[in-house]
Amino acid sequence: MTLEINGHDYELKMTFKALKAFDIVNDDFQKNTEKIGNIVMGIVGGDVFALKSALVAMTGNSSNTVQEDLENADNLDDAFGAVENLLLESPLTKKTVKMVYEPIKDGFKQAEEKMMKAVQEAK
């Protein structure tokens, strides 16, 4: 999957090297599920630091290069979407991501609804 950010192409790949960059380790399912959950939460929630970490892990590009491209990008929606889709579709991550994805999405939806309700009540 190729993604363009700030005029530069990023070839996104989910590899064991990328998993190690996410601190995913052998034989620790609970810790690995928590790590994947944190990655997914950051991406779904729009955390630019999570996006930066994911792009560094998935592309092998330097942290400084990725940071500079993100800082100078006009829009990061496609980048967040591409990383989210790769996490959901990669054979290396899709089973674990699917376990945590819906609860995370629901949590953000509920938080948004509470915030909107509070704003309406404040008016």
Side-chain angles (χ1 to χ4, degrees):
M1 175 182 299
T2 303
L3 169 69
E4 184 183 319
I5 302 174
N6 196 37
H8 297 111
D9 288 337
Y10 284 80
E11 184 65 33
L12 300 180
K13 295 179 185 177
M14 185 52 67
T15 63
F16 281 99
K17 184 177 180 180
L19 293 174
K20 286 181 183 180
F22 287 134
D23 199 26
I24 306 298
V25 298
N26 282 343
D27 301 324
D28 196 342
F29 180 76
Q30 184 174 345
K31 178 183 174 191
N32 292 343
T33 303
E34 183 179 325
K35 293 281 185 181
I36 289 286
N38 287 336
I39 294 162
V40 171
M41 191 177 319
I43 296 302
V44 170
D47 181 350
V48 73
F49 291 101
L51 178 62
K52 178 184 162 190
S53 295
L55 291 173
V56 169
M58 293 174 171
T59 65
N61 288 356
S62 77
S63 181
N64 289 339
T65 298
V66 172
Q67 180 173 318
E68 185 176 325
D69 281 341
L70 293 176
E71 287 174 344
N72 293 304
D74 292 329
N75 187 329
L76 296 176
D77 292 344
D78 289 344
F80 280 107
V83 170
E84 184 175 332
N85 287 336
L86 183 57
L87 289 166
L88 283 164
E89 296 171 5
S90 170
L92 297 179
T93 56
K94 70 181 177 182
K95 280 190 167 264
T96 306
V97 169
K98 285 183 181 180
M99 284 190 323
V100 299
Y101 185 76
E102 287 303 321
I104 289 169
K105 291 280 281 190
D106 289 345
F108 277 114
K109 183 179 178 184
Q110 290 173 9
E112 183 179 9
E113 288 171 356
K114 286 180 183 179
M115 190 181 312
M116 295 301 287
K117 184 179 177 181
V119 167
Q120 291 298 326
E121 289 173 355
K123 288 183 179 181

